[in-house]
Amino acid sequence: MAQSIPQILQSADRSLASGDWTSAEATLRTAIKMGRRHDDLLLAWCNVMLHHGDVREGRQLLEKIIKGGPTHPLIPFCLALAHQADGNFAAARKVLKDLRVAYPQWHQATHLLVRMLTLEGKHAEAIEIIEPLLAEGDPLVICAFGMLASGIGRTSEAIEQLETVSENSSLPQGVRREAGLLRARLLDAEGCYAKALQAAERAHSLSPSHYDPAAFEGLIEGRISDTPAARISSLLTAEGDTARPIFILGVPRSGTSLTEAILGEHSKVEPLGECRVIERFVPLNLTDRPLVNKVSGEILTAYRDLDADAQWITDKQLGNFLHLDAIASLLPQARVIWCCRDRRDVAISCFFQQFQTGAPWADSLEHILHFEQSYRRLMQHWQRVLSLPILQLKYETLVAEPREQVHRMLDFLELEWEEQCMKFNQSQRTTLTASNQQVKEKIYRSSAGRWKNYAKAFDRQ
């Protein structure tokens, strides 16, 4: 007997509660493919993809659902994100514009569209969308205006409106937090550092901290104690050609997006951004050869599904640093570039950013510094015990010696020099990451040493 809609949702919820998001996604996707197009199923599936998976993998099914007729606006919204992640910005914009016509009061579409246009430098088109809506006072519209304001010379106006949103206790905490952090970044850009830090601290205080330093430290120490050199040497390695993936690692704001942008200009490399591929397959028994070979093939297939043509692809999913032992076993010919940066610059940059998911440690400078220190400790362990090639790339050195460091990266990857890699800032690629603006600028325009504007804040750490 076929399961009812509530039973399917309960099954997916149980999988999520146990941390098995891949089973939850598969349960929901299978039901939808079999014709169960109930809105609750569609919304649950989209939310799993948005918070845990890679929305690109659902693009074809999303397109099929939309062709079937009107549905909840989250469905085309996810399709727009999928197109954007694929680099098809024209298609993403069209979906969002159509969505705004169909649901004019659903301002999530306006928010994302303006964000995309701002990141692409299309300020005139973005303000044309925003201007007629500002008088309504919708908080998402005001946040979208805050993203755009510095590009159109209306920073003071945006700072004032964002403060109104961030201090409105009747609004959801997430919206207030975004408004507060946008305001903090605008104040920082204006050189009002004391006010900027105060605004960021206020924004983070709106919701309780979900970061447990002791628990994260325990996770890192557990990974280290479970993977001594003797045990690593006993792990099997997959057979066949596993050289395609290039893993770019590093805490956010350490230069990972910049590194990917540079490599992405090489004719043989396709940047895939943050792929949730590896974590679907771990943990597993790395001493079972048939299993190791099977999973290795499945991982390479998953990467081909995201891009079937390029000789190499990059994956800069943050969480991959926890699984380098599995990567060394399943993809022994892969390469790793570990991006590092002055931890104080990392802390300031992360503290002022609005991360959508997965960064509970970004709520205070103390927590960011702790997270970075723990991250570094595990990476140094992997360097000691793994045979997997790991290139450590320092952001400050990359900024100071760009040509030399790009040569160094390409030599490490055994790729021929291509001058186009030095023109990464001219690329038409756009991402929705906080680092998009950085990679659109010339490499010498860095924010190295930004922490000095907030030196007193580190005296308290």
Side-chain angles (χ1 to χ4, degrees), residues 179-193:
L181 290 173
L182 282 166
R183 179 171 174 266
R185 292 202 294 277
L186 291 176
L187 287 166
D188 173 79
E190 293 288 292
C192 302
Y193 302 122

Side-chain angles (χ1 to χ4, degrees), residues 9 11 97 101 107 135 153 163 227 249 256-257 328-329 340 353 357:
L9 291 170
S11 177
K97 289 175 181 178
V101 171
H107 288 307
E163 183 176 18
T227 54
L249 298 180
T256 56
S257 293
S329 177
C340 301
Q353 290 300 329
T357 58

Side-chain angles (χ1 to χ4, degrees), residues 9-25 27:
L9 291 170
Q10 287 171 9
S11 177
D13 284 342
R14 283 195 297 270
S15 295
L16 286 174
S18 66
D20 187 1
W21 67 266
T22 55
S23 293
E25 192 275 338
T27 296

Side-chain angles (χ1 to χ4, degrees), residues 163-182:
E163 183 176 18
T164 300
V165 172
S166 65
E167 295 303 320
N168 186 342
S169 60
S170 67
L171 294 175
Q173 288 181 343
V175 175
R176 294 177 64 194
R177 187 169 178 268
E178 179 179 356
L181 290 173
L182 282 166

Side-chain angles (χ1 to χ4, degrees), residues 130-131 133-139 141-143 145-146 154-168 171 179-180 183 186:
I130 285 292
E131 196 73 74
L133 301 174
L134 278 175
E136 298 177 9
D138 183 272
V141 170
I142 291 173
C143 286
F145 178 54
R154 294 172 65 174
T155 300
S156 297
E157 180 184 351
I159 287 173
E160 184 177 339
Q161 293 196 33
L162 289 166
E163 183 176 18
T164 300
V165 172
S166 65
E167 295 303 320
N168 186 342
L171 294 175
R183 179 171 174 266
L186 291 176

Side-chain angles (χ1 to χ4, degrees), residues 292-431:
V292 166
N293 284 329
K294 174 177 178 291
V295 173
S296 176
E298 290 173 348
I299 290 173
L300 293 170
T301 296
Y303 283 127
R304 279 195 296 273
D305 288 342
L306 293 174
D307 180 271
D309 300 321
Q311 189 169 349
W312 283 277
I313 54 90
T314 62
D315 179 347
K316 69 181 192 75
Q317 175 65 21
L318 170 66
N320 285 338
F321 85 106
L322 290 169
H323 311 300
L324 278 190
D325 55 331
I327 289 173
S329 177
L330 299 166
L331 304 166
Q333 296 170 320
R335 306 292 173 92
V336 176
I337 298 177
W338 173 26
C339 300
C340 301
R341 186 182 181 187
D342 187 308
R343 58 202 303 264
R344 295 163 297 185
D345 276 333
V346 167
I348 286 297
S349 192
C350 288
F351 191 56
F352 279 76
Q353 290 300 329
Q354 170 80 353
F355 294 97
Q356 300 304 310
T357 58
W361 44 266
D363 62 3
S364 75
L365 294 177
E366 179 184 3
H367 286 168
I368 298 167
L369 292 171
H370 179 270
F371 178 82
E372 192 278 340
Q373 182 180 41
S374 300
Y375 188 110
R376 184 181 296 266
R377 174 162 164 70
L378 182 56
M379 286 300 300
Q380 290 170 339
H381 168 72
W382 294 137
Q383 284 182 313
R384 288 191 297 269
V385 302
L386 295 179
S387 59
L388 193 69
I390 301 175
L391 176 71
Q392 190 168 352
L393 182 67
K394 294 184 178 179
Y395 175 83
E396 292 80 8
T397 308
L398 176 60
V399 167
E401 306 169 353
R403 187 170 291 271
E404 293 86 343
Q405 293 304 308
V406 173
H407 264 293
R408 181 169 168 251
M409 276 196 289
L410 295 181
D411 287 346
F412 171 73
L413 299 171
E414 299 182 4
L415 291 171
E416 294 181 0
W417 173 263
E418 291 186 5
E419 186 65 26
Q420 187 62 30
C421 291
M422 297 301 297
K423 301 176 182 178
F424 67 92
N425 59 301
Q426 299 173 18
S427 172
Q428 296 303 305
R429 290 189 181 93
T430 303
T431 69

